[in-house]
Amino acid sequence: VQLQASGGGLVQAGGSLRLACAASGRTFSNYHMGWFRQAPGKERNFVSGISWAGGNTLYADSVKGRFTISRDNAKNTVYLQMSSLKPEDTAVYYCAAATARWGLSEERSQYNYWGPGTLVTVSS
């Protein structure tokens, strides 16, 4: 499956952005979807995930209550609505797909396909 994220940009602290990730190539509903982020000089970390039908979601503690993940299987797209953004949310955000054979996971190794990332910069 091919993934393409969009929606990144520069925003002031306290602002909002919505990221989108469009999938193509395979049946989108066969995959759990996740968002990860990587700040300069740091590891790529889990942000949020959503199960293949959208019934289950996971969030990193650092974004709970501020970010919301959703998906539209008819549009082959997963979204990440980010609110109350902080400078520490600055990172390249990647969407990823994991086969739905297993349960929804936070583990990077469970995700088979990755998009090229979109940069989010939050100014203070």
Side-chain angles (χ1 to χ4, degrees):
V1 60
Q2 290 78 47
L3 303 172
Q4 182 64 55
S6 61
L10 174 64
V11 63
Q12 288 188 331
S16 300
L17 277 177
R18 187 176 82 154
L19 305 183
C21 176
S24 62
R26 298 198 180 189
T27 304
F28 183 63
S29 58
N30 286 347
Y31 297 88
H32 303 317
M33 298 299 296
W35 287 96
F36 292 74
R37 67 186 181 187
Q38 187 168 18
K42 296 189 177 181
E43 293 185 349
R44 190 174 301 186
N45 293 322
F46 176 80
V47 175
S48 183
I50 188 166
S51 59
W52 67 273
N56 293 324
T57 57
L58 293 174
Y59 294 94
D61 287 344
S62 59
V63 306
K64 280 180 181 176
R66 300 188 299 122
F67 291 10
T68 302
I69 191 170
S70 62
R71 67 188 293 161
D72 185 338
N73 284 353
K75 295 182 178 180
N76 293 346
T77 303
V78 61
Y79 303 96
L80 186 69
Q81 178 67 48
M82 305 185 294
S83 303
S84 302
L85 283 162
K86 306 174 181 180
E88 52 262 44
D89 294 317
T90 295
V92 176
Y93 283 70
Y94 299 89
C95 63
T99 56
R101 177 182 300 179
W102 313 110
L104 182 61
S105 173
E106 302 179 3
E107 296 296 324
R108 193 171 62 186
S109 61
Q110 295 298 307
Y111 290 80
N112 313 98
Y113 303 96
W114 294 81
T118 185
L119 176 62
V120 172
T121 303
V122 184
S123 63
S124 57

